[in-house]
Amino acid sequence: MPPQRALGVAVVGTGKMGADHVRRLHDVISGAQVTAVVDIEAERAKTLADAIDGCTAYTDAAAAMAAHDVDAVLIASPGPAHEAALREALGRDLPVLCEKPLTPDSASALRVLEAEQRLGHRRIQVGFMRRYDPEYMKLKRLLDGGELGRALMVHHRHRNLAMPPWFTEEMLISDSVAHEVDATRWLLDQEITAVTVHKPAPSSYAPAGMRDPQFVLFETRSGALVDVEIFGHCGYGYQVHAEAVCERGTVRIGDEHGPRLSADGRWGGRITPDYVERFEDAYDREIQSWVDATRRGGTTGPSTWDGYAAAAVCEAGVLSQREGRRVEIDLIDRPSLYG
Ligand code: NAI
């Protein structure tokens, strides 16, 4: 692709995240153009394509990837559909931004990892966008700088207003805690070696059949302990906090910021309703960084290895959730392609 031309992007899956990424690529990101949208629901894709000059609607990802004006692919279909789209893109050596999860389980993630290795170079960035959130980036810099000493523990809190009706108890781990899995591996720069899921007495507002909230404990290779409170139906807003406890100090991020109102003898502020608003900046930086790297001919950000490791930890987490025991994680050796 000539560097002066905008990157032609096919967005596969145009639901909540995909439609937001189409808007982002069209209105916010520089150097990219949405040239294709793909959805198995033809009407949804057509409505989006009709609003963008030079954009074609497809119902089949492979057909979009074969189009002459598609240089790169952003996958935002549900997790179980990712493997087929990823393998199609790798088969055509197309750069990919794949929303998390890479794939829903470690066996399919491993197949994608092997396909990328056969290609011989990285082509996939996984959509773990917290790595692009300004507060998480500051926390990472502080931990890497070393002035606080080693991180001994991390406390994560991940609260959602409510989950959609199809959201299952397993998804509390595989869909939600997946973000803390990646954040932990990235912040501490090491693998998670074991996971235990505890379930307190459920909230009376939890949907029938779902134990909500849950408390997840990770053990890491260096012996750090990391806990995650995951609350799917807290009922008041979307909150993501993290606090690292180090040898010489603690760092906490995610406390509400933004206008703090004082009036009528009270002070307070607003809690964001969902991730689209809370992590808007992070998604913007993530996609811009992908477009920039891709136009330079490179690949950046969370890799297929990160996607595989996260899938393996989540799989162990779901097993622990089901069987009520500590589960160890056994990763393959990290291939040289992933440093
Ligand atoms: P959604 O259900 O709102 O949208 C999915 C869309 O994909 C639907 O329009 C559906 O018709 C379409 N679709 C299904 N199978 C397809 C296929 N084979 N080919 C093309 N289109 C297909 O789902 P949502 O919430 O937008 O999630 C999409 C992805 O984004 C998932 O992987 C999810 O885990 C991830 N996600 C990431 C978040 C983040 O913070 N990074 C937040 C929420 C979701």
Side-chain angles (χ1 to χ4, degrees), residues 1-10 25 29-36 69-74 94-97 287-297:
M1 194 197 81
Q4 65 278 14
R5 183 158 72 77
L7 185 76
V9 179
L25 283 160
I29 302 300
S30 61
Q33 188 186 352
V34 183
T35 48
D69 55 358
V70 168
D71 307 308
V73 187
L74 192 160
L94 285 172
V96 184
L97 184 296
I287 303 299
Q288 187 66 65
S289 151
W290 174 63
V291 167
D292 291 347
T294 302
R295 293 182 82 210
R296 287 194 302 268

Side-chain angles (χ1 to χ4, degrees), residues 133-154:
D133 175 70
E135 284 191 278
Y136 271 93
M137 289 166 76
K138 281 182 199 148
L139 172 56
K140 172 73 173 156
R141 274 200 297 275
L142 270 167
L143 294 179
D144 285 354
E147 59 264 41
L148 297 176
R150 277 186 306 118
L152 308 170
M153 294 185 283
V154 183

Side-chain angles (χ1 to χ4, degrees), residues 253-323:
I253 60 163
D255 293 305
E256 273 63 49
H257 42 235
R260 174 172 154 159
L261 178 71
S262 300
D264 297 328
R266 303 165 72 88
W267 60 263
R270 182 175 168 274
I271 302 172
T272 53
D274 67 5
Y275 43 82
V276 170
E277 188 175 325
R278 164 67 179 85
F279 285 111
E280 184 180 4
D281 287 352
Y283 294 122
D284 288 353
R285 282 166 191 258
E286 171 192 58
I287 303 299
Q288 187 66 65
S289 151
W290 174 63
V291 167
D292 291 347
T294 302
R295 293 182 82 210
R296 287 194 302 268
T299 307
T300 186
S303 68
T304 307
W305 172 260
D306 297 311
Y308 157 71
V313 176
C314 289
E315 200 168 76
V318 168
L319 188 61
S320 172
Q321 185 189 49
R322 195 179 302 141
E323 298 189 353

Side-chain angles (χ1 to χ4, degrees), residues 104-106 170 173-174 177 181 192-197 216-218 308-331:
D105 57 78
S106 63
E170 287 189 353
I173 306 297
S174 59
V177 174
V181 169
I192 294 169
T193 52
V195 55
T196 314
V197 177
V216 183
L217 189 63
F218 300 141
Y308 157 71
V313 176
C314 289
E315 200 168 76
V318 168
L319 188 61
S320 172
Q321 185 189 49
R322 195 179 302 141
E323 298 189 353
R325 63 179 176 91
R326 174 179 177 274
V327 177
E328 292 188 358
I329 295 131
D330 193 18
L331 297 178

Side-chain angles (χ1 to χ4, degrees), residues 14 37 50 60 93 98 146 171 190 203 220 233 240 242 258 288 316-317 339:
T14 57
V37 286
D50 284 351
D60 174 37
D93 203 5
C98 180
M171 290 171 83
Q190 57 186 292
S203 157
T220 75
H233 302 79
V240 168
Q288 187 66 65

Side-chain angles (χ1 to χ4, degrees), residues 42-55:
E43 256 327 288
R44 186 172 290 172
K46 185 174 178 315
T47 306
L48 273 173
D50 284 351
I52 298 174
D53 276 351
C55 181

Side-chain angles (χ1 to χ4, degrees), residues 17-33:
M17 287 307 293
D20 195 45
H21 286 320
V22 168
R23 173 200 61 76
R24 169 170 293 110
L25 283 160
H26 191 54
D27 297 345
V28 182
I29 302 300
S30 61
Q33 188 186 352

